[in-house]
Amino acid sequence: MKEYLTISAVRNGLKSGEFTSVELTEYYLKKMDAMADLNAFITIDSEKSIDCAKAADKKISKGENKPLLGVPLAIKDLFCTKGTRTTAGSKMLSNFIPEYESTVTQNLIDDGAIFIGKTNMDEFAMGSANITSYFGPCFLPYRKKTSPEMKLVPGGSSGGSATSVASDLCVAATGSDTGGSIRQPAAFSGIVGIKPTYGLCSRWGMVAFASSLDQAGPLTKNIEDAAIMLQSMAGYDDKDSTSENIKIPNYLDFLGKSIKGMRIGIAKEYTDGINQENVELLENVKTWLVDAGCEIIDISLKTTPYALPVYYIIAPAEASSNLARYDGVKYGYRSKNYKNIDELYINSRSEGFGEEVKRRILTGTYVLSAGYHDAYYTKALKIQQMIKDDFKDNAFSKIDLILCPTTPNTAFGVEESSKMSPVEMYLNDVFTVNANIAGLPAISIPTGLSKDGLPMGIQVIGNRFCEADIFKVSYVIEKSACFEELRKKILLV
Ligand code: GLN
């Protein structure tokens, strides 16, 4: 089997008979076993995957043609999968087997995809390093050149999905992004990750973290795969009241199209004070875009510094409400240690949730409490509106897309991350949360390597439902970056 197969390579291979879906699935399952130390997966059901691959092979032999027919994908363990355990990285859901399929995974199944495993993630998608999972940390498959002994984080919360794509344990994966959880791990892992416009992908059947911010999206080996995956995942769903009924263009049509005349905004609030490596990366990308006929325009988005504090009020507020359903009664973990109903609630929640989740519940409950609601939550919502207006008035009235780094730094050590304060960890999202707060689509493209030999990502943020523009420009960046060549220089574990 060739390494690092993309969706179109797999489709060609399946069609020409070079390999079958069963052979491909077995190949990945074997690799997943050999690389089990990375801890990228929480649940693997090999038998079910092989059965699905067999069914796909039958369809292929009959000449059926679906965009993902027979393609093995990894699924973040936040998407409910009928009959397959879905934990959200938590002890609370460690025994939860959903009776239903999430809309996004159903869409992928309808397009012929095969699921080879449920990927590791930060508990309830809360984190930036995949170290809060009840199932243990997940590791980046790369090492720093200067300290090869150090184990690195893949980013979070979709760390398992990022690692499984980067280590070639699947063709592509799903993730979710509430404040950066697709883009940040994509940047650390040298792969593509897109968070679509809020409302493009249905949230139905996704374990809820902060419902007004959560969005599903793909993590893939290249831009073309991201377009194919998003096409399949997206779509109106009447089971999600925030799903938008819009006409979705064929994203593949936009790859390779001219970007001449497109206006690319650089906001000084996203670039002042960034490290030298990010400065150089941004300069390179600017040059490529100018060469392709784009116009670079300086803009200012003054509300940028408020997005992170606003996020850390709104997200915990919604989380505290969403997570109230885990009470040890209806489903999920139940403590054995109780004498009355109060103790049942208290002990089930105390034992079932990890430290970070408890911190968010406490913060959220506090900012929603009668005495502090106006001072924190209501104020945060007002500032959220100002941030949205800022994008509208000071960015998308003058430019088409915003270009900025995805993360302030590259992947850090697992041990180092356990010593970080919560606020230090939260600062990882400083360039990504803004898109969530404003509901905008944003992508991370692998674009360069740091001096230490680790991947660096560049972020492109678009206007609402302008995913096609993002793909068009990202494709040019991808071609100019030649990341396939850079990937060969990364030190693998
Ligand atoms: N790192 C952020 C947090 O911990 C974002 C998480 C996410 O996007 N799911 O909240």
Side-chain angles (χ1 to χ4, degrees), residues 178-314:
T178 305
S181 280
I182 289 176
R183 292 159 286 157
Q184 187 247 15
F188 280 13
S189 308
I191 58 172
V192 173
I194 178 164
K195 177 205 97 73
T197 308
Y198 183 77
L200 189 74
C201 292
S202 168
R203 286 183 296 106
W204 197 81
M206 254 169 86
V207 176
F209 163 14
S211 309
S212 78
L213 307 168
D214 297 342
Q215 255 300 290
L219 291 116
T220 60
K221 293 169 186 167
N222 66 14
I223 298 291
E224 185 186 65
D225 282 5
I228 298 170
M229 284 285 285
L230 186 60
Q231 198 83 47
S232 179
M233 294 164 75
Y236 175 68
D237 180 13
D238 60 12
K239 294 206 280 297
D240 171 2
S241 61
T242 56
S243 171
E244 297 263 4
N245 198 352
I246 54 139
K247 191 167 167 349
I248 300 171
N250 185 352
Y251 297 130
L252 283 180
D253 289 347
F254 292 84
L255 309 189
K257 284 270 152 68
S258 165
I259 58 167
K260 209 166 163 205
M262 285 187 82
R263 298 158 306 168
I264 309 294
I266 309 278
K268 68 171 193 297
E269 291 78 5
Y270 283 83
T271 50
D272 282 357
I274 57 175
N275 68 21
Q276 190 52 32
E277 292 185 323
N278 265 328
V279 170
E280 286 164 22
L281 189 75
L282 199 62
E283 283 310 313
N284 286 343
V285 180
K286 274 168 50 178
T287 314
W288 302 332
L289 293 179
V290 169
D291 288 348
C294 292
E295 194 186 341
I296 305 289
I297 298 172
D298 287 328
I299 57 168
S300 170
L301 290 163
K302 295 210 168 48
T303 58
T304 303
Y306 305 117
L308 196 68
V310 160
Y311 173 84
Y312 278 100
I313 291 175
I314 295 176

Side-chain angles (χ1 to χ4, degrees), residues 76 122 124-129 156-158 176-184 209 214 311-312 315 356 360 425-426 428-429 432-433 436:
K76 186 175 184 177
D122 278 305
F124 284 101
M126 297 170 191
S128 305
S157 63
S158 312
S176 71
D177 191 312
T178 305
S181 280
I182 289 176
R183 292 159 286 157
Q184 187 247 15
F209 163 14
D214 297 342
Y311 173 84
Y312 278 100
E356 184 60 31
R360 308 278 177 119
M425 188 59 88
Y426 298 167
N428 270 293
D429 306 318
T432 50
V433 287
N436 302 77

